[in-house]
């Protein structure tokens, strides 16, 4: 059997196929070179993404730190008020002790505080204001302690956050 195509057409088809093969090979090499050239850029993109994530985290920490610091002012005020309240209650308690002790004085008997048997001006309840109990003092002391603890906790939290920003 003979081929119906002339040899010149077959040669032309073979040459065209070789040209296409060479072009495909050149395109593949160019693509490989482009991939290799892009690798450093991809690394820089990953690095930039990491730096962006770190910057966002720093921003979030700063915002949280600002919020914590703003809240600290209010906590300090509450702590100061609780301390003043405790001191006031304690002073009232001490002042209310004199009338309570005076109520137990018996003419001619020694005073439990000073030992004197004469009691020329015993303290009266109306001299010192309303009586203050030991429970009142304890409640004020606990409120002061809780407020101070809250303040210390917030200050520690702020120090920790601030230290993490410095890293």
């Amino acid at each position: 059997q003979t081929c119906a195509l002339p040899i010149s057409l077959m040669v032309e088809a073979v040459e065209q196929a070789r040209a296409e093969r060479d072009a495909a090979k050149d395109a593949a090499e160019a693509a490989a070179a482009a991939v290799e050239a892009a690798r450093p850029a991809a690394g820089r993109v990953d690095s930039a993404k990491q730096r962006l994530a770190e910057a966002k985290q720093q921003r979030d920490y700063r915002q949280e730190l600002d919020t914590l610091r703003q809240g600290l002012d209010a906590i300090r005020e509450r702590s100061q008020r609780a301390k003043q309240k405790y001191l006031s209650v304690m002073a009232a308690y001490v002042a209310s002790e004199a009338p309570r002790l005076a109520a137990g004085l018996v003419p001619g008997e020694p005073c439990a505080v000073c030992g004197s048997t004469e009691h020329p001006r015993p303290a009266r309840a109306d001299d010192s204001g309303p009586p203050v109990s030991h429970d009142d003092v304890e409640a004020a002391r606990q409120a002061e302690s809780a407020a101070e603890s809250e303040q210390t906790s917030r200050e520690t939290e702020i120090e920790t956050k601030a230290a993490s920003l410095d890293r």
Side-chain angles (χ1 to χ4, degrees), residues 2 8 14 22 24 30 53 67 70 75 91 95-96 112 142:
T2 55
S8 64
V14 168
D22 290 344
T67 300
Q70 289 169 0
I75 290 170
S96 71
Q142 287 179 0

Side-chain angles (χ1 to χ4, degrees), residues 28 52 57 60 83 94 103-104 129 140:
L52 177 61
Q57 184 179 28
D60 293 347
K83 183 179 210 139
V94 169

Side-chain angles (χ1 to χ4, degrees), residues 79-110:
S79 181
Q80 188 60 33
R81 283 194 306 273
K83 183 179 210 139
Q84 291 302 320
K85 171 80 173 169
Y86 170 69
L87 293 174
S88 174
V89 168
M90 188 60 164
Y93 175 75
V94 169
S96 71
E97 281 296 285
R100 186 185 66 72
L101 290 170
L105 290 175
V106 177
E109 296 284 322

